[in-house]
Amino acid sequence: MPQIPGTDLTVSDLCLGANVFGWTADEPTSAAVLDRYLDATPSTRAPFVDTAEMYGEGRSEQILGAWMAERGVRDRVVVATKASPGRKEHPLSAPEIRAAAERSLRNLRTDRIDLYYAHYDDTSTPLEETLRAFDELVQAGKVRHVAASNYSPERLTEALDTSERLGLARYVALQPHYNLVERAVYEDGLRDVVAGHELGVLPYFALAKGFLTGKYRAGEQVDSPRAEGASAYVGERGDRVLTALGAVAEEHGVPVAAVALRWLADRPTVVAPIASARSVEQLADLLPMQDLVLTDEQTQALDAASA
């Protein structure tokens, strides 16, 4: 079962991204997606939802918080959110982290955050100040564990070394940009740091802004706010990856997106990929990844196509 190393957080194979809540999914639709996700998560695992204070300027957190309160499911769900830059001059300074955490707790209608990220590195603030502020939240019981997102290998190493030297709560996980068509940045640098320090990895853009759903191909027009980002992958390599995904999907009788997510979930160090759905129908294409088992030959074919 997926578990974030160094924690007691046993989570679902798929981490549901809440970035679309209050953006491309209104509150009733978001609640319906969350209901379906909750129902589809095995009882032995905790539904895992990822949000951030900057998503919809807090609206995503508010929608998630209202849903958990109305359904009475806070204790079942593992909640991850982030201290985001926004318009802050020093986003990871101690005062900003304290204020951000309090806002998120109010928005989420909860007394603790299970996994609290530094959303982006803040080189204007000493790492020691940032890490002491996170440690204060952990000691106060407002945050259970802390993590990093969008850190370079060098800064992640420095942060982990600083935490160890000072005896502070350390990052237990990393959220990087990583998927079947975005491999180099993670695999050529971050992976070694993560493995060496036994961190868990929770990749965002797990479906490459929708490209790995298979609906973006040369000449195709797709009505989506992410169409421009996904179009960056259209081309010879992208076609090769989609062809390989399609072959595996057909062999299993599942959507292409489920295969892409399963490949990522099976990578060394990865705990659970993050993917969002702006409708129950979109979520239905993702959920089969939870029971999908790829053969060695299928994994190797996807590796080769995306190399």
Side-chain angles (χ1 to χ4, degrees), residues 12-47:
S12 47
D13 290 81
L14 172 69
C15 180
L16 182 65
N19 58 309
V20 296
F21 297 170
W23 174 35
T24 56
D26 60 19
E27 186 163 4
T29 303
S30 300
V33 168
L34 286 162
D35 284 340
R36 179 70 188 94
Y37 176 62
L38 183 71
D39 289 343
T41 302
S43 59
T44 54
R45 305 177 189 185

PDB file of all heavy atoms in Angstrom, residues 12-47:
ATOM      1  N   SER A  12      -4.194   6.586  -0.815  1.00  0.00           N
ATOM      2  CA  SER A  12      -4.698   5.976  -2.039  1.00  0.00           C
ATOM      3  C   SER A  12      -3.637   6.018  -3.137  1.00  0.00           C
ATOM      4  O   SER A  12      -2.725   6.844  -3.116  1.00  0.00           O
ATOM      5  CB  SER A  12      -5.959   6.712  -2.495  1.00  0.00           C
ATOM      6  OG  SER A  12      -5.758   8.112  -2.457  1.00  0.00           O
ATOM      7  N   ASP A  13      -3.758   5.097  -4.109  1.00  0.00           N
ATOM      8  CA  ASP A  13      -2.815   5.049  -5.231  1.00  0.00           C
ATOM      9  C   ASP A  13      -2.843   6.330  -6.047  1.00  0.00           C
ATOM     10  O   ASP A  13      -1.844   6.712  -6.647  1.00  0.00           O
ATOM     11  CB  ASP A  13      -3.164   3.886  -6.157  1.00  0.00           C
ATOM     12  CG  ASP A  13      -2.885   2.537  -5.535  1.00  0.00           C
ATOM     13  OD1 ASP A  13      -3.719   2.065  -4.736  1.00  0.00           O
ATOM     14  OD2 ASP A  13      -1.838   1.964  -5.844  1.00  0.00           O
ATOM     15  N   LEU A  14      -4.001   6.969  -6.094  1.00  0.00           N
ATOM     16  CA  LEU A  14      -4.179   8.222  -6.823  1.00  0.00           C
ATOM     17  C   LEU A  14      -4.415   9.347  -5.837  1.00  0.00           C
ATOM     18  O   LEU A  14      -5.275   9.246  -4.962  1.00  0.00           O
ATOM     19  CB  LEU A  14      -5.386   8.111  -7.759  1.00  0.00           C
ATOM     20  CG  LEU A  14      -5.819   9.398  -8.464  1.00  0.00           C
ATOM     21  CD1 LEU A  14      -4.773   9.825  -9.487  1.00  0.00           C
ATOM     22  CD2 LEU A  14      -7.177   9.214  -9.142  1.00  0.00           C
ATOM     23  N   CYS A  15      -3.636  10.411  -5.961  1.00  0.00           N
ATOM     24  CA  CYS A  15      -3.877  11.621  -5.170  1.00  0.00           C
ATOM     25  C   CYS A  15      -4.717  12.563  -6.028  1.00  0.00           C
ATOM     26  O   CYS A  15      -4.313  12.927  -7.136  1.00  0.00           O
ATOM     27  CB  CYS A  15      -2.560  12.284  -4.777  1.00  0.00           C
ATOM     28  SG  CYS A  15      -2.767  13.794  -3.793  1.00  0.00           S
ATOM     29  N   LEU A  16      -5.878  12.935  -5.522  1.00  0.00           N
ATOM     30  CA  LEU A  16      -6.785  13.789  -6.299  1.00  0.00           C
ATOM     31  C   LEU A  16      -6.358  15.247  -6.184  1.00  0.00           C
ATOM     32  O   LEU A  16      -6.294  15.813  -5.096  1.00  0.00           O
ATOM     33  CB  LEU A  16      -8.215  13.629  -5.798  1.00  0.00           C
ATOM     34  CG  LEU A  16      -9.275  14.424  -6.556  1.00  0.00           C
ATOM     35  CD1 LEU A  16      -9.391  13.931  -7.999  1.00  0.00           C
ATOM     36  CD2 LEU A  16     -10.625  14.330  -5.857  1.00  0.00           C
ATOM     37  N   GLY A  17      -6.065  15.861  -7.322  1.00  0.00           N
ATOM     38  CA  GLY A  17      -5.695  17.269  -7.342  1.00  0.00           C
ATOM     39  C   GLY A  17      -6.929  18.153  -7.264  1.00  0.00           C
ATOM     40  O   GLY A  17      -7.866  17.996  -8.058  1.00  0.00           O
ATOM     41  N   ALA A  18      -6.935  19.065  -6.302  1.00  0.00           N
ATOM     42  CA  ALA A  18      -8.090  19.952  -6.102  1.00  0.00           C
ATOM     43  C   ALA A  18      -7.884  21.310  -6.745  1.00  0.00           C
ATOM     44  O   ALA A  18      -8.642  22.246  -6.474  1.00  0.00           O
ATOM     45  CB  ALA A  18      -8.362  20.110  -4.605  1.00  0.00           C
ATOM     46  N   ASN A  19      -6.883  21.441  -7.609  1.00  0.00           N
ATOM     47  CA  ASN A  19      -6.594  22.735  -8.225  1.00  0.00           C
ATOM     48  C   ASN A  19      -7.733  23.237  -9.104  1.00  0.00           C
ATOM     49  O   ASN A  19      -7.873  24.438  -9.334  1.00  0.00           O
ATOM     50  CB  ASN A  19      -5.310  22.656  -9.048  1.00  0.00           C
ATOM     51  CG  ASN A  19      -5.373  21.598 -10.124  1.00  0.00           C
ATOM     52  OD1 ASN A  19      -5.714  20.451  -9.852  1.00  0.00           O
ATOM     53  ND2 ASN A  19      -5.034  21.952 -11.349  1.00  0.00           N
ATOM     54  N   VAL A  20      -8.581  22.313  -9.598  1.00  0.00           N
ATOM     55  CA  VAL A  20      -9.686  22.731 -10.471  1.00  0.00           C
ATOM     56  C   VAL A  20     -10.924  23.166  -9.685  1.00  0.00           C
ATOM     57  O   VAL A  20     -11.835  23.767 -10.253  1.00  0.00           O
ATOM     58  CB  VAL A  20     -10.078  21.597 -11.442  1.00  0.00           C
ATOM     59  CG1 VAL A  20      -8.928  21.289 -12.390  1.00  0.00           C
ATOM     60  CG2 VAL A  20     -10.508  20.339 -10.692  1.00  0.00           C
ATOM     61  N   PHE A  21     -10.968  22.871  -8.392  1.00  0.00           N
ATOM     62  CA  PHE A  21     -12.135  23.230  -7.591  1.00  0.00           C
ATOM     63  C   PHE A  21     -12.245  24.751  -7.486  1.00  0.00           C
ATOM     64  O   PHE A  21     -11.299  25.422  -7.082  1.00  0.00           O
ATOM     65  CB  PHE A  21     -12.046  22.630  -6.189  1.00  0.00           C
ATOM     66  CG  PHE A  21     -12.039  21.120  -6.147  1.00  0.00           C
ATOM     67  CD1 PHE A  21     -11.760  20.453  -4.970  1.00  0.00           C
ATOM     68  CD2 PHE A  21     -12.325  20.370  -7.273  1.00  0.00           C
ATOM     69  CE1 PHE A  21     -11.765  19.067  -4.918  1.00  0.00           C
ATOM     70  CE2 PHE A  21     -12.332  18.980  -7.235  1.00  0.00           C
ATOM     71  CZ  PHE A  21     -12.043  18.322  -6.042  1.00  0.00           C
ATOM     72  N   GLY A  22     -13.397  25.269  -7.884  1.00  0.00           N
ATOM     73  CA  GLY A  22     -13.574  26.717  -7.870  1.00  0.00           C
ATOM     74  C   GLY A  22     -12.985  27.402  -9.091  1.00  0.00           C
ATOM     75  O   GLY A  22     -13.047  28.628  -9.195  1.00  0.00           O
ATOM     76  N   TRP A  23     -12.430  26.610  -9.998  1.00  0.00           N
ATOM     77  CA  TRP A  23     -11.863  27.163 -11.244  1.00  0.00           C
ATOM     78  C   TRP A  23     -12.669  26.601 -12.417  1.00  0.00           C
ATOM     79  O   TRP A  23     -13.602  27.239 -12.885  1.00  0.00           O
ATOM     80  CB  TRP A  23     -10.370  26.812 -11.352  1.00  0.00           C
ATOM     81  CG  TRP A  23      -9.722  27.197 -12.648  1.00  0.00           C
ATOM     82  CD1 TRP A  23      -9.985  28.296 -13.418  1.00  0.00           C
ATOM     83  CD2 TRP A  23      -8.701  26.463 -13.343  1.00  0.00           C
ATOM     84  NE1 TRP A  23      -9.191  28.300 -14.539  1.00  0.00           N
ATOM     85  CE2 TRP A  23      -8.393  27.198 -14.528  1.00  0.00           C
ATOM     86  CE3 TRP A  23      -8.005  25.287 -13.083  1.00  0.00           C
ATOM     87  CZ2 TRP A  23      -7.433  26.761 -15.436  1.00  0.00           C
ATOM     88  CZ3 TRP A  23      -7.044  24.854 -13.990  1.00  0.00           C
ATOM     89  CH2 TRP A  23      -6.763  25.591 -15.156  1.00  0.00           C
ATOM     90  N   THR A  24     -12.353  25.394 -12.866  1.00  0.00           N
ATOM     91  CA  THR A  24     -13.123  24.788 -13.956  1.00  0.00           C
ATOM     92  C   THR A  24     -14.208  23.852 -13.429  1.00  0.00           C
ATOM     93  O   THR A  24     -14.974  23.300 -14.229  1.00  0.00           O
ATOM     94  CB  THR A  24     -12.198  24.023 -14.908  1.00  0.00           C
ATOM     95  OG1 THR A  24     -11.457  23.043 -14.161  1.00  0.00           O
ATOM     96  CG2 THR A  24     -11.224  24.975 -15.588  1.00  0.00           C
ATOM     97  N   ALA A  25     -14.264  23.654 -12.119  1.00  0.00           N
ATOM     98  CA  ALA A  25     -15.326  22.852 -11.499  1.00  0.00           C
ATOM     99  C   ALA A  25     -15.970  23.682 -10.397  1.00  0.00           C
ATOM    100  O   ALA A  25     -15.284  24.103  -9.470  1.00  0.00           O
ATOM    101  CB  ALA A  25     -14.755  21.552 -10.923  1.00  0.00           C
ATOM    102  N   ASP A  26     -17.273  23.933 -10.514  1.00  0.00           N
ATOM    103  CA  ASP A  26     -17.949  24.711  -9.470  1.00  0.00           C
ATOM    104  C   ASP A  26     -18.122  23.842  -8.225  1.00  0.00           C
ATOM    105  O   ASP A  26     -17.756  22.657  -8.202  1.00  0.00           O
ATOM    106  CB  ASP A  26     -19.287  25.258  -9.973  1.00  0.00           C
ATOM    107  CG  ASP A  26     -20.271  24.170 -10.402  1.00  0.00           C
ATOM    108  OD1 ASP A  26     -20.104  22.993 -10.007  1.00  0.00           O
ATOM    109  OD2 ASP A  26     -21.222  24.492 -11.145  1.00  0.00           O
ATOM    110  N   GLU A  27     -18.695  24.418  -7.160  1.00  0.00           N
ATOM    111  CA  GLU A  27     -18.748  23.690  -5.889  1.00  0.00           C
ATOM    112  C   GLU A  27     -19.582  22.410  -5.967  1.00  0.00           C
ATOM    113  O   GLU A  27     -19.129  21.356  -5.488  1.00  0.00           O
ATOM    114  CB  GLU A  27     -19.260  24.599  -4.768  1.00  0.00           C
ATOM    115  CG  GLU A  27     -19.193  23.922  -3.408  1.00  0.00           C
ATOM    116  CD  GLU A  27     -19.296  24.889  -2.250  1.00  0.00           C
ATOM    117  OE1 GLU A  27     -19.489  26.100  -2.487  1.00  0.00           O
ATOM    118  OE2 GLU A  27     -19.167  24.438  -1.096  1.00  0.00           O
ATOM    119  N   PRO A  28     -20.786  22.413  -6.554  1.00  0.00           N
ATOM    120  CA  PRO A  28     -21.550  21.161  -6.634  1.00  0.00           C
ATOM    121  C   PRO A  28     -20.813  20.077  -7.426  1.00  0.00           C
ATOM    122  O   PRO A  28     -20.824  18.897  -7.042  1.00  0.00           O
ATOM    123  CB  PRO A  28     -22.850  21.572  -7.326  1.00  0.00           C
ATOM    124  CG  PRO A  28     -22.989  23.031  -7.036  1.00  0.00           C
ATOM    125  CD  PRO A  28     -21.595  23.563  -7.038  1.00  0.00           C
ATOM    126  N   THR A  29     -20.174  20.469  -8.536  1.00  0.00           N
ATOM    127  CA  THR A  29     -19.432  19.496  -9.338  1.00  0.00           C
ATOM    128  C   THR A  29     -18.237  18.969  -8.564  1.00  0.00           C
ATOM    129  O   THR A  29     -17.945  17.763  -8.583  1.00  0.00           O
ATOM    130  CB  THR A  29     -18.966  20.124 -10.657  1.00  0.00           C
ATOM    131  OG1 THR A  29     -20.098  20.625 -11.367  1.00  0.00           O
ATOM    132  CG2 THR A  29     -18.231  19.111 -11.515  1.00  0.00           C
ATOM    133  N   SER A  30     -17.536  19.861  -7.869  1.00  0.00           N
ATOM    134  CA  SER A  30     -16.381  19.449  -7.060  1.00  0.00           C
ATOM    135  C   SER A  30     -16.805  18.460  -5.993  1.00  0.00           C
ATOM    136  O   SER A  30     -16.117  17.454  -5.747  1.00  0.00           O
ATOM    137  CB  SER A  30     -15.726  20.673  -6.419  1.00  0.00           C
ATOM    138  OG  SER A  30     -15.279  21.597  -7.393  1.00  0.00           O
ATOM    139  N   ALA A  31     -17.937  18.718  -5.342  1.00  0.00           N
ATOM    140  CA  ALA A  31     -18.443  17.807  -4.309  1.00  0.00           C
ATOM    141  C   ALA A  31     -18.787  16.446  -4.903  1.00  0.00           C
ATOM    142  O   ALA A  31     -18.519  15.403  -4.284  1.00  0.00           O
ATOM    143  CB  ALA A  31     -19.661  18.418  -3.629  1.00  0.00           C
ATOM    144  N   ALA A  32     -19.351  16.439  -6.101  1.00  0.00           N
ATOM    145  CA  ALA A  32     -19.685  15.170  -6.762  1.00  0.00           C
ATOM    146  C   ALA A  32     -18.420  14.378  -7.090  1.00  0.00           C
ATOM    147  O   ALA A  32     -18.384  13.145  -6.929  1.00  0.00           O
ATOM    148  CB  ALA A  32     -20.493  15.436  -8.026  1.00  0.00           C
ATOM    149  N   VAL A  33     -17.378  15.078  -7.557  1.00  0.00           N
ATOM    150  CA  VAL A  33     -16.096  14.419  -7.840  1.00  0.00           C
ATOM    151  C   VAL A  33     -15.518  13.837  -6.554  1.00  0.00           C
ATOM    152  O   VAL A  33     -15.055  12.682  -6.522  1.00  0.00           O
ATOM    153  CB  VAL A  33     -15.107  15.413  -8.488  1.00  0.00           C
ATOM    154  CG1 VAL A  33     -13.693  14.835  -8.526  1.00  0.00           C
ATOM    155  CG2 VAL A  33     -15.559  15.782  -9.900  1.00  0.00           C
ATOM    156  N   LEU A  34     -15.543  14.601  -5.480  1.00  0.00           N
ATOM    157  CA  LEU A  34     -15.021  14.122  -4.198  1.00  0.00           C
ATOM    158  C   LEU A  34     -15.820  12.931  -3.675  1.00  0.00           C
ATOM    159  O   LEU A  34     -15.241  11.977  -3.145  1.00  0.00           O
ATOM    160  CB  LEU A  34     -15.024  15.262  -3.176  1.00  0.00           C
ATOM    161  CG  LEU A  34     -13.936  16.314  -3.378  1.00  0.00           C
ATOM    162  CD1 LEU A  34     -14.275  17.590  -2.614  1.00  0.00           C
ATOM    163  CD2 LEU A  34     -12.577  15.774  -2.924  1.00  0.00           C
ATOM    164  N   ASP A  35     -17.131  12.964  -3.828  1.00  0.00           N
ATOM    165  CA  ASP A  35     -17.971  11.841  -3.402  1.00  0.00           C
ATOM    166  C   ASP A  35     -17.575  10.560  -4.140  1.00  0.00           C
ATOM    167  O   ASP A  35     -17.426   9.490  -3.532  1.00  0.00           O
ATOM    168  CB  ASP A  35     -19.449  12.133  -3.678  1.00  0.00           C
ATOM    169  CG  ASP A  35     -20.061  13.107  -2.678  1.00  0.00           C
ATOM    170  OD1 ASP A  35     -19.502  13.272  -1.578  1.00  0.00           O
ATOM    171  OD2 ASP A  35     -21.107  13.714  -3.021  1.00  0.00           O
ATOM    172  N   ARG A  36     -17.415  10.685  -5.458  1.00  0.00           N
ATOM    173  CA  ARG A  36     -17.064   9.501  -6.263  1.00  0.00           C
ATOM    174  C   ARG A  36     -15.669   8.994  -5.906  1.00  0.00           C
ATOM    175  O   ARG A  36     -15.436   7.782  -5.826  1.00  0.00           O
ATOM    176  CB  ARG A  36     -17.134   9.852  -7.750  1.00  0.00           C
ATOM    177  CG  ARG A  36     -16.767   8.694  -8.671  1.00  0.00           C
ATOM    178  CD  ARG A  36     -17.839   7.623  -8.632  1.00  0.00           C
ATOM    179  NE  ARG A  36     -17.430   6.428  -9.357  1.00  0.00           N
ATOM    180  CZ  ARG A  36     -16.849   5.358  -8.818  1.00  0.00           C
ATOM    181  NH1 ARG A  36     -16.600   5.328  -7.503  1.00  0.00           N
ATOM    182  NH2 ARG A  36     -16.508   4.319  -9.555  1.00  0.00           N
ATOM    183  N   TYR A  37     -14.749   9.904  -5.686  1.00  0.00           N
ATOM    184  CA  TYR A  37     -13.377   9.532  -5.309  1.00  0.00           C
ATOM    185  C   TYR A  37     -13.371   8.821  -3.958  1.00  0.00           C
ATOM    186  O   TYR A  37     -12.690   7.797  -3.781  1.00  0.00           O
ATOM    187  CB  TYR A  37     -12.516  10.793  -5.278  1.00  0.00           C
ATOM    188  CG  TYR A  37     -11.098  10.596  -4.819  1.00  0.00           C
ATOM    189  CD1 TYR A  37     -10.219   9.777  -5.520  1.00  0.00           C
ATOM    190  CD2 TYR A  37     -10.615  11.266  -3.702  1.00  0.00           C
ATOM    191  CE1 TYR A  37      -8.905   9.609  -5.112  1.00  0.00           C
ATOM    192  CE2 TYR A  37      -9.299  11.117  -3.289  1.00  0.00           C
ATOM    193  CZ  TYR A  37      -8.455  10.286  -3.992  1.00  0.00           C
ATOM    194  OH  TYR A  37      -7.156  10.130  -3.584  1.00  0.00           O
ATOM    195  N   LEU A  38     -14.117   9.341  -3.013  1.00  0.00           N
ATOM    196  CA  LEU A  38     -14.216   8.725  -1.690  1.00  0.00           C
ATOM    197  C   LEU A  38     -14.760   7.303  -1.806  1.00  0.00           C
ATOM    198  O   LEU A  38     -14.226   6.358  -1.216  1.00  0.00           O
ATOM    199  CB  LEU A  38     -15.117   9.568  -0.794  1.00  0.00           C
ATOM    200  CG  LEU A  38     -15.284   9.109   0.662  1.00  0.00           C
ATOM    201  CD1 LEU A  38     -14.005   9.330   1.448  1.00  0.00           C
ATOM    202  CD2 LEU A  38     -16.439   9.873   1.323  1.00  0.00           C
ATOM    203  N   ASP A  39     -15.815   7.150  -2.577  1.00  0.00           N
ATOM    204  CA  ASP A  39     -16.434   5.835  -2.748  1.00  0.00           C
ATOM    205  C   ASP A  39     -15.486   4.839  -3.415  1.00  0.00           C
ATOM    206  O   ASP A  39     -15.550   3.635  -3.137  1.00  0.00           O
ATOM    207  CB  ASP A  39     -17.702   5.945  -3.602  1.00  0.00           C
ATOM    208  CG  ASP A  39     -18.840   6.636  -2.872  1.00  0.00           C
ATOM    209  OD1 ASP A  39     -18.773   6.739  -1.624  1.00  0.00           O
ATOM    210  OD2 ASP A  39     -19.794   7.081  -3.543  1.00  0.00           O
ATOM    211  N   ALA A  40     -14.627   5.324  -4.303  1.00  0.00           N
ATOM    212  CA  ALA A  40     -13.760   4.447  -5.084  1.00  0.00           C
ATOM    213  C   ALA A  40     -12.462   4.090  -4.370  1.00  0.00           C
ATOM    214  O   ALA A  40     -11.703   3.239  -4.855  1.00  0.00           O
ATOM    215  CB  ALA A  40     -13.436   5.108  -6.427  1.00  0.00           C
ATOM    216  N   THR A  41     -12.191   4.734  -3.236  1.00  0.00           N
ATOM    217  CA  THR A  41     -10.946   4.475  -2.509  1.00  0.00           C
ATOM    218  C   THR A  41     -11.126   3.276  -1.589  1.00  0.00           C
ATOM    219  O   THR A  41     -12.060   3.262  -0.780  1.00  0.00           O
ATOM    220  CB  THR A  41     -10.522   5.700  -1.689  1.00  0.00           C
ATOM    221  OG1 THR A  41     -10.353   6.828  -2.562  1.00  0.00           O
ATOM    222  CG2 THR A  41      -9.199   5.432  -0.967  1.00  0.00           C
ATOM    223  N   PRO A  42     -10.265   2.259  -1.691  1.00  0.00           N
ATOM    224  CA  PRO A  42     -10.395   1.085  -0.816  1.00  0.00           C
ATOM    225  C   PRO A  42     -10.397   1.489   0.660  1.00  0.00           C
ATOM    226  O   PRO A  42      -9.723   2.442   1.059  1.00  0.00           O
ATOM    227  CB  PRO A  42      -9.143   0.259  -1.154  1.00  0.00           C
ATOM    228  CG  PRO A  42      -8.770   0.684  -2.541  1.00  0.00           C
ATOM    229  CD  PRO A  42      -9.134   2.128  -2.631  1.00  0.00           C
ATOM    230  N   SER A  43     -11.140   0.758   1.472  1.00  0.00           N
ATOM    231  CA  SER A  43     -11.309   1.117   2.881  1.00  0.00           C
ATOM    232  C   SER A  43     -10.011   1.031   3.670  1.00  0.00           C
ATOM    233  O   SER A  43      -9.880   1.632   4.737  1.00  0.00           O
ATOM    234  CB  SER A  43     -12.356   0.213   3.529  1.00  0.00           C
ATOM    235  OG  SER A  43     -11.975  -1.152   3.430  1.00  0.00           O
ATOM    236  N   THR A  44      -9.034   0.302   3.143  1.00  0.00           N
ATOM    237  CA  THR A  44      -7.757   0.168   3.840  1.00  0.00           C
ATOM    238  C   THR A  44      -6.835   1.351   3.595  1.00  0.00           C
ATOM    239  O   THR A  44      -5.750   1.428   4.182  1.00  0.00           O
ATOM    240  CB  THR A  44      -7.035  -1.106   3.378  1.00  0.00           C
ATOM    241  OG1 THR A  44      -6.927  -1.094   1.942  1.00  0.00           O
ATOM    242  CG2 THR A  44      -7.790  -2.344   3.822  1.00  0.00           C
ATOM    243  N   ARG A  45      -7.248   2.278   2.732  1.00  0.00           N
ATOM    244  CA  ARG A  45      -6.406   3.427   2.383  1.00  0.00           C
ATOM    245  C   ARG A  45      -7.169   4.720   2.599  1.00  0.00           C
ATOM    246  O   ARG A  45      -8.394   4.733   2.616  1.00  0.00           O
ATOM    247  CB  ARG A  45      -5.934   3.316   0.935  1.00  0.00           C
ATOM    248  CG  ARG A  45      -5.234   2.006   0.676  1.00  0.00           C
ATOM    249  CD  ARG A  45      -4.815   1.833  -0.758  1.00  0.00           C
ATOM    250  NE  ARG A  45      -4.346   0.476  -0.992  1.00  0.00           N
ATOM    251  CZ  ARG A  45      -3.831   0.036  -2.117  1.00  0.00           C
ATOM    252  NH1 ARG A  45      -3.702   0.866  -3.139  1.00  0.00           N
ATOM    253  NH2 ARG A  45      -3.441  -1.220  -2.244  1.00  0.00           N
ATOM    254  N   ALA A  46      -6.431   5.783   2.750  1.00  0.00           N
ATOM    255  CA  ALA A  46      -7.061   7.083   2.977  1.00  0.00           C
ATOM    256  C   ALA A  46      -7.141   7.857   1.670  1.00  0.00           C
ATOM    257  O   ALA A  46      -6.127   8.003   0.967  1.00  0.00           O
ATOM    258  CB  ALA A  46      -6.261   7.887   4.000  1.00  0.00           C
ATOM    259  N   PRO A  47      -8.328   8.350   1.312  1.00  0.00           N
ATOM    260  CA  PRO A  47      -8.414   9.244   0.150  1.00  0.00           C
ATOM    261  C   PRO A  47      -7.475  10.431   0.362  1.00  0.00           C
ATOM    262  O   PRO A  47      -7.470  11.046   1.436  1.00  0.00           O
ATOM    263  CB  PRO A  47      -9.879   9.680   0.155  1.00  0.00           C
ATOM    264  CG  PRO A  47     -10.595   8.647   0.959  1.00  0.00           C
ATOM    265  CD  PRO A  47      -9.623   8.182   1.985  1.00  0.00           C
TER     266      PRO A  47
END
